[in-house]
Amino acid sequence: MPFFDSDKHLIHIMMDMIRQNYGGKTYDFEMAKQCSAHAGHMALIGHCFHSDVAYWGSATAENVAHETVIYRNFISAIEEIIRKFMNSEGHRRNIEEHPVIGIGTAVRFEEDGTERLYVAQRFRH
């Protein structure tokens, strides 16, 4: 069963990491709502996938990822997701080239006790 990052602390941490490397970005709360819904959907079914472009609203690009959370260390999971995005030309380009970003997160709890963090990011100019 997934839960949403209702206090948004993970999103703030991810935004801080992005801003440190890529300067000022504007956070779009409407896109963030869409991202949260998509991250929750991915967590619910346990699979990472891009959403249908018809539901992006004003967004022009999307990054999605998931990472296993080890010993409840969500910061390390976020750092690993950011590292993966930065090592992927397309994902990195989305972050670098778009000044406006929305982020959503959700966590899936597996029956074996594994926690998996799901992230959706959307971007626009």
Side-chain angles (χ1 to χ4, degrees), residues 56-70:
W56 287 10
S58 62
T60 59
E62 178 181 64
N63 290 346
V64 295
H66 65 88
E67 185 64 32
T68 300
V69 179
I70 300 172

Side-chain angles (χ1 to χ4, degrees), residues 19-110:
R19 285 180 175 141
Q20 286 173 8
N21 292 306
Y22 298 101
K25 299 284 182 184
T26 301
Y27 191 73
D28 184 310
F29 289 94
E30 283 305 310
M31 281 197 310
K33 288 179 190 176
Q34 298 167 2
C35 292
S36 290
H38 186 60
H41 188 195
M42 292 188 297
L44 182 65
I45 64 172
H47 181 70
C48 192
F49 59 93
H50 286 280
S51 60
D52 186 331
V53 72
Y55 296 104
W56 287 10
S58 62
T60 59
E62 178 181 64
N63 290 346
V64 295
H66 65 88
E67 185 64 32
T68 300
V69 179
I70 300 172
Y71 301 118
R72 302 203 44 82
N73 189 340
F74 288 90
I75 304 301
S76 289
I78 287 176
E79 289 171 343
E80 183 61 18
I81 287 171
I82 292 289
R83 186 190 68 72
K84 288 177 180 178
F85 284 159
M86 295 302 105
N87 287 333
S88 163
E89 183 179 335
H91 293 99
R92 184 179 62 248
R93 185 174 44 249
N94 286 342
I95 293 170
E96 290 173 344
E97 293 181 0
H98 294 87
V100 182
I101 185 172
I103 301 172
T105 62
V107 175
R108 178 180 176 88
F109 295 95
E110 303 289 352

